[in-house]
Amino acid sequence: MSFSFKLINEEDSSRRGEILTSHGPIQTPAFMPVGTYGAVKAMSPLTLEELKAEIILSNTFHLMERPGIEVIKEHGGLHNFIGWKKPILTDSGGYQVYSIAKNKSVSNEGVQFNSPLNGDKIFLTPEICMDLQLAFNVDIAMVLDECTAYSKDKEKVKDSMQLSVLWANRCRDRFNSSQNALFGIIQGGVFKELRESSINSLVKIGFEGYAIGGLSVGEPIEEMIKIVNFVSPLMPKDKPRYLMGVGTPMDILKAVEMGIDLFDCVIPTRHARNGYLYTSRGLVRIRNSNNKNNLDPLDHNCSCYTCRTFSRAYLHHLDKTKEMLGSTLNTIHNLSYYLNLMADLREAIEQGKLRPFLSKFKENWEKFID
Amino acid sequence: MSFSFKLINEEDSSRRGEILTSHGPIQTPAFMPVGTYGAVKAMSPLTLEELKAEIILSNTFHLMERPGIEVIKEHGGLHNFIGWKKPILTDSGGYQVYSIAKNKSVSNEGVQFNSPLNGDKIFLTPEICMDLQLAFNVDIAMVLDECTAYSKDKEKVKDSMQLSVLWANRCRDRFNSSQNALFGIIQGGVFKELRESSINSLVKIGFEGYAIGGLSVGEPIEEMIKIVNFVSPLMPKDKPRYLMGVGTPMDILKAVEMGIDLFDCVIPTRHARNGYLYTSRGLVRIRNSNNKNNLDPLDHNCSCYTCRTFSRAYLHHLDKTKEMLGSTLNTIHNLSYYLNLMADLREAIEQGKLRPFLSKFKENWEKFID
C-alpha cells in the first residue's frame, strides 16, 4: 500500500500530520481545492502548483456524466486526463445524489435516479462507484454513502446510517487497490448514539481514513460543531480524519482544534468568482464602489501574484467589466489565503502554539462578514 | 524621444525591424494581442510574458468608459493599472465610434455620441483623445480618425479622409510627449488617389509611425489586399507600418509580404474562447465530437503549455462543461500560434528565406477552414 499516514505532532486535540501517496505527500491539516469537473474553476494545474496546493478534490458524480468513465480510462486515470500530478481525492457521488439527482429511489442494492444533465436513468451501486474510482486511479476514494437532509426523525436517520454501513462493507469488498486509499464516511445525522454506532461499524470494516459526512445539510451551525466535537475524538487516531464540505476559515479553525486533518469546500473559489475576497483584515467585496479608486493591493499581508501585481481598483475594474481574468486573479488570492491559513495552522501545531494563534485569529475574525 | 525604429533586414518588400520604446523593444513584424479593457481576455500579464508577447493593444474608447481616465491617471498610467510592464499601443476610439457608438454626429470640432454602456452623452475631440492617451502614458498612441463604412461614394470618402487629416493635425499639435510615439492613420477607403493624398498629408505633418485604417469594414477581401498593396510602398520606409485590425494568419502573411510591420486582431483570442484552434495541420474545432476520445495534444508541433500538458479530449471536455480554464488554455495556444508565426516570419526575413516559407505555408493553408 503506497498510502500511509503519520502524526508528526499533537497539541491538545489538534494534529499535525503527513499523508504519503504514490503521487506525493500531503501535509495535514490540509485544504483541498474543489475541481468538480476535473478543473478547479479558473485555475490551471500549474497555477495550483505555484499556490502549493498538495491535493485537489474532484467529483465522481460529475465526471461520470462528463466526460464519462471511458475517456478517463483511456487516459490511464484522472491525473493524466486533467494534467495534475499530485494527489487527488474523489468524493463518491453520494452527496450529489442527495443534492442534485432527480427522481431518486434508494434500495439496498443501490440508488436509481435521473441524470440532472440529460434525464438518463442512472443506477449507482457501491460496486459501480468503486469501479469508477478505481478507474480514475485516484489516491483517495470515498465509499458510496446515503446522504440525507437534516432530520429529527431518529429511526429514519438510523435506517439510512445502517444502509450506508452496508454499502461501506460492499465498497471495501470491491475496492481492491494496492496503491490507493479508501475512506469510510460516518453518518448518523445529529444523533450522537448513531454517529458512534456508525464509527464502530466502519472501524470494524477497516478503512485508510474516515470522513464525517452528512453535515452542512441544513442543521444549525451549533449542531454541526457539537457533532464534530463528539465524533472527532472517537475516530481512529492513526488515520486521517476528513470533514467533508467544510467550510469557512472559522469553521476550519474550529475543526482543526477538534482534531480534523482534511477539508474541502467550494467557498474560496466560488466566493472569488463572486468577488468576495478573504484578507487579513476581513472579507472584501471587490465590487463595492469604495474599491474603484483604491490603489492598494487587496491585502498588504499577502504575497500572492494578485496582491503583488494589481491594485484593488484593477480587480474592481475586472469585476465590473466581467473579465475572466478577474475570476482567475480572485481565485488565486482566495486559494492562497486558504492554503496559507492551513500552513499557518500546521506551523502553530508544530510549535505547540495553536492556542494563541486561534485566539488572535478569532479576535480578528469578528470583523469578518461571512 | 525614447521611441525609435530601425530596419534590420529586408527581403523584397518585406521588412525585419525593431522598435525601441521606454518599456522595451518590439521585434517586427509583430502581432499585438488585444486587451480591450486593459486585460487580454482569459490571460494574465504573466502568461502573456511567458508567451513572449512584446506589446499589447488596448482600447481608448472602452477604457474611457471603464474604469475612466481618473483611475488610470491615479495609477500613473495604464502600465501600472494593468500590471503589464512591456509596450502598449492604444487605438484612438475612432473605430469604436464607427462601430458601437449610438446617435453619433460628426463635426469638424469632433464627434458626439451616446455611450453604448449607459447612454451618457460623450463628446470626443482630437484634443481630448490625445489627453486620454497621454494620461494612459502608452508607448504608442493613435490619432483620432473618422472611420467610415465601405462606400463607393468617392466624394463622401474624400470629405471624411480630409476631416481625418484635419484631426491628425490637431492631434499632433496636442501630443507633446517626449517619450511616446504618435501614429497617423491613413484613410481614403478603396480609392487609391485618396489613400495617396492621405499619406502625403500625414507625412507632411510627421508621425513616428503610420497605420492603414478603414479596412475590414465591409469591403471585399480582394479590395483590401489591393489597397494594402498600393498603400504600403507609399508609406515612409523608416517608420513602422501598422495594418489595423488584421487578421487571419493568411492575411498577416500577405501583408508582411507587402511590407507591413505591426498587426492586431481579436481573432486568436476570440476564436480560442469559441473553441476554434489554429494548428500546424489546420483549424481545429475542439467542440467536435471526434475530439471526445482523442488522446493527442492539440498540435504535436506546438510546445505551448496547453499542448505540452493536455489532450484534445480534455480541452473538448472543458469546452463542453464551460470551464473557464478551457478559454485560458485555448487562448494560450492560439496566441502561441500567432506569436510563433510572427517569430518564424521574422527569422525567414532575416535569413532571406521568406519566399519559400510563404509558399510552404500557403500550401498547407489550403486545408484551413477560416
Side-chain angles (χ1 to χ4, degrees):
Chain A
M1 167 65 68
S2 320
F3 183 93
S4 68
F5 174 68
K6 69 166 185 226
L7 280 176
I8 295 169
N9 197 23
E10 291 173 82
E11 182 184 351
D12 302 327
S13 302
S14 67
R15 302 137 56 90
R16 166 76 183 91
E18 184 184 45
I19 297 173
L20 297 181
T21 77
S22 58
H23 289 96
I26 306 153
Q27 305 304 319
T28 65
F31 177 79
M32 304 183 276
V34 176
T36 299
Y37 277 114
V40 176
K41 289 194 189 303
M43 292 288 96
S44 73
L46 188 64
T47 306
L48 286 168
E49 278 168 41
E50 286 165 354
L51 291 172
K52 299 196 168 56
E54 292 190 314
I55 176 170
I56 62 171
L57 176 145
S58 197
N59 294 94
T60 295
F61 186 94
H62 290 94
L63 292 171
M64 172 183 74
E65 297 221 293
R66 291 183 294 184
I69 188 62
E70 286 313 316
V71 172
I72 297 172
K73 255 188 191 162
E74 282 181 34
H75 283 74
L78 192 57
H79 290 84
N80 277 350
F81 179 60
I82 72 175
W84 169 253
K85 294 176 169 52
K86 297 190 176 188
I88 303 176
L89 178 149
T90 40
D91 66 4
S92 61
Y95 182 79
Q96 281 73 31
V97 167
Y98 152 73
S99 59
I100 58 175
K102 305 211 190 284
N103 308 318
K104 66 170 180 278
S105 82
V106 179
S107 66
N108 278 359
E109 177 58 15
V111 55
Q112 185 172 289
F113 55 89
N114 292 116
S115 156
L117 190 65
N118 54 24
D120 282 0
K121 216 171 250 183
I122 300 179
F123 191 57
L124 194 60
T125 66
E127 289 76 15
I128 292 169
C129 179
M130 291 304 98
D131 291 348
L132 287 166
Q133 293 181 79
L134 284 165
F136 294 161
N137 194 23
V138 287
D139 305 273
I140 305 177
M142 302 299 298
V143 298
L144 183 66
D145 58 339
E146 194 197 18
C147 191
T148 47
Y150 174 52
S151 167
K152 292 187 172 169
D153 180 344
K154 193 170 172 180
E155 277 314 300
K156 206 177 113 190
V157 175
K158 186 179 175 183
D159 288 349
S160 170
M161 180 274 283
Q162 285 176 337
L163 179 66
S164 285
V165 169
L166 179 80
W167 286 1
N169 238 310
R170 282 163 52 196
C171 286
R172 181 78 280 181
D173 285 346
R174 185 71 159 219
F175 193 82
N176 57 356
S177 170
S178 64
Q179 185 169 329
N180 302 322
L182 180 63
F183 281 19
I185 303 178
I186 300 157
Q187 291 288 352
V190 294
F191 303 98
K192 291 182 178 179
E193 186 194 325
L194 299 181
R195 287 282 175 178
E196 189 164 3
S197 158
S198 173
I199 296 171
N200 292 338
S201 306
L202 293 173
V203 170
K204 224 173 276 168
I205 301 170
F207 292 94
E208 285 76 51
Y210 298 87
I212 307 177
L215 291 181
S216 288
V217 290
E219 77 284 358
I221 179 86
E222 304 75 32
E223 292 256 36
M224 181 186 113
I225 289 166
K226 216 171 64 187
I227 288 297
V228 175
N229 205 20
F230 173 78
V231 170
S232 184
L234 301 177
M235 295 167 83
K237 284 201 67 167
D238 60 343
K239 306 283 179 189
R241 300 165 174 174
Y242 166 27
L243 179 55
M244 301 180 82
V246 170
T248 65
M250 199 62 206
D251 293 341
I252 290 177
L253 258 75
K254 285 179 183 156
V256 164
E257 210 176 357
M258 296 172 195
I260 301 295
D261 308 305
L262 283 171
F263 302 89
D264 80 277
C265 191
V266 296
I267 283 180
T269 41
R270 183 176 292 163
H271 268 28
R273 297 196 303 286
N274 292 325
Y276 287 92
L277 304 175
Y278 288 96
T279 77
S280 55
R281 301 184 65 180
L283 196 65
V284 167
R285 188 166 197 228
I286 202 66
R287 203 164 301 169
N288 281 356
S289 60
N290 60 353
N291 291 306
K292 189 174 182 342
N293 285 289
N294 193 330
L295 270 69
D296 289 329
L298 184 53
D299 189 348
H300 279 289
N301 295 316
C302 176
S303 63
C304 79
Y305 173 61
T306 304
C307 290
R308 284 199 318 274
T309 318
F310 306 97
S311 65
R312 288 189 178 201
Y314 186 62
L315 298 176
H316 174 84
H317 169 68
L318 294 177
D319 184 275
K320 295 292 271 188
T321 51
K322 298 186 175 56
E323 287 286 339
M324 268 185 230
L325 178 59
S327 290
T328 300
L329 296 180
N330 292 349
T331 304
I332 286 175
H333 175 79
N334 268 3
L335 281 181
S336 188
Y337 180 92
Y338 264 66
L339 295 168
N340 287 338
L341 175 64
M342 302 315 290
D344 289 346
L345 286 168
R346 290 195 297 268
E347 198 192 335
I349 302 171
E350 264 177 36
Q351 303 180 341
K353 289 180 179 166
L354 185 65
R355 282 198 178 192
F357 179 88
L358 292 180
S359 19
K360 199 178 156 201
F361 190 94
K362 285 173 186 170
E363 207 175 282
N364 282 330
W365 189 256
E366 305 302 317
K367 292 178 286 187
F368 276 62
I369 13 155
D370 203 36
Chain B
M1 168 65 68
S2 320
F3 183 94
S4 67
F5 175 67
K6 69 165 185 225
L7 280 177
I8 295 169
N9 197 23
E10 291 173 83
E11 181 183 351
D12 301 328
S13 300
S14 68
R15 301 138 56 91
R16 166 78 182 89
E18 185 183 44
I19 296 173
L20 297 180
T21 77
S22 57
H23 289 94
I26 306 152
Q27 305 304 319
T28 65
F31 177 79
M32 304 183 276
V34 176
T36 299
Y37 277 114
V40 176
K41 288 195 189 304
M43 291 289 97
S44 72
L46 188 63
T47 306
L48 286 169
E49 278 169 42
E50 285 163 358
L51 291 172
K52 300 198 169 55
E54 292 190 313
I55 176 170
I56 63 170
L57 175 145
S58 197
N59 294 93
T60 296
F61 186 93
H62 291 93
L63 292 171
M64 172 182 73
E65 296 222 293
R66 292 184 293 183
I69 188 63
E70 286 311 317
V71 172
I72 296 171
K73 254 189 193 164
E74 283 182 33
H75 283 75
L78 191 57
H79 290 84
N80 276 349
F81 180 60
I82 72 175
W84 169 254
K85 293 175 171 50
K86 296 188 177 189
I88 304 175
L89 178 149
T90 39
D91 67 3
S92 61
Y95 182 78
Q96 282 73 32
V97 168
Y98 153 71
S99 59
I100 58 175
K102 305 211 190 284
N103 308 318
K104 66 169 181 277
S105 82
V106 178
S107 66
N108 276 2
E109 177 58 14
V111 54
Q112 185 172 289
F113 55 91
N114 291 117
S115 156
L117 190 66
N118 55 24
D120 282 1
K121 216 169 251 185
I122 299 178
F123 191 57
L124 194 60
T125 65
E127 289 76 15
I128 292 170
C129 179
M130 291 302 100
D131 291 349
L132 288 166
Q133 295 181 78
L134 284 165
F136 294 161
N137 194 21
V138 288
D139 304 275
I140 304 177
M142 302 299 297
V143 297
L144 183 66
D145 57 339
E146 194 196 21
C147 190
T148 47
Y150 174 51
S151 167
K152 293 188 173 168
D153 181 343
K154 191 170 174 183
E155 276 313 300
K156 207 177 115 191
V157 175
K158 185 180 176 186
D159 287 349
S160 171
M161 179 272 283
Q162 286 176 337
L163 180 65
S164 286
V165 168
L166 179 79
W167 286 1
N169 237 313
R170 282 162 53 193
C171 286
R172 181 78 279 182
D173 284 345
R174 186 70 158 217
F175 194 82
N176 56 356
S177 171
S178 63
Q179 185 168 328
N180 302 322
L182 179 63
F183 281 19
I185 303 178
I186 300 158
Q187 292 288 352
V190 293
F191 302 98
K192 291 182 178 178
E193 185 195 328
L194 300 182
R195 288 280 176 181
E196 189 165 4
S197 156
S198 175
I199 296 171
N200 291 339
S201 305
L202 293 172
V203 170
K204 222 173 277 170
I205 301 170
F207 292 95
E208 284 77 52
Y210 296 86
I212 306 178
L215 291 181
S216 286
V217 290
E219 76 284 356
I221 178 85
E222 304 75 32
E223 291 257 33
M224 181 185 111
I225 289 166
K226 214 171 64 187
I227 288 297
V228 175
N229 205 19
F230 173 77
V231 171
S232 184
L234 300 179
M235 295 166 83
K237 285 201 69 169
D238 60 343
K239 306 285 179 188
R241 300 167 174 171
Y242 165 28
L243 180 55
M244 301 181 83
V246 169
T248 65
M250 199 60 205
D251 293 340
I252 290 177
L253 258 75
K254 284 180 184 155
V256 164
E257 213 177 355
M258 297 173 196
I260 301 294
D261 308 305
L262 283 170
F263 301 89
D264 80 278
C265 192
V266 297
I267 283 180
T269 42
R270 182 176 292 163
H271 269 28
R273 297 196 305 285
N274 292 326
Y276 287 93
L277 304 175
Y278 287 96
T279 78
S280 56
R281 301 184 63 182
L283 196 67
V284 167
R285 187 166 197 227
I286 201 66
R287 202 163 299 169
N288 281 355
S289 60
N290 60 355
N291 291 306
K292 190 175 181 343
N293 285 289
N294 193 330
L295 270 69
D296 288 330
L298 183 53
D299 189 349
H300 279 288
N301 295 317
C302 176
S303 64
C304 80
Y305 173 62
T306 304
C307 290
R308 285 198 318 273
T309 318
F310 306 97
S311 65
R312 288 189 179 203
Y314 187 60
L315 298 178
H316 174 84
H317 169 67
L318 294 178
D319 184 274
K320 295 292 271 190
T321 52
K322 298 187 175 55
E323 287 286 339
M324 266 183 233
L325 178 59
S327 290
T328 300
L329 296 180
N330 292 349
T331 304
I332 285 174
H333 175 79
N334 268 2
L335 282 181
S336 189
Y337 179 91
Y338 263 67
L339 294 167
N340 287 338
L341 175 64
M342 301 316 289
D344 289 346
L345 285 169
R346 290 193 298 266
E347 199 191 333
I349 301 171
E350 265 176 38
Q351 302 179 342
K353 290 179 178 165
L354 185 65
R355 281 197 177 193
F357 180 88
L358 292 180
S359 21
K360 199 177 157 203
F361 190 94
K362 283 175 188 171
E363 206 175 284
N364 281 330
W365 190 256
E366 305 302 317
K367 293 180 286 188
F368 276 62
I369 15 157
D370 203 38

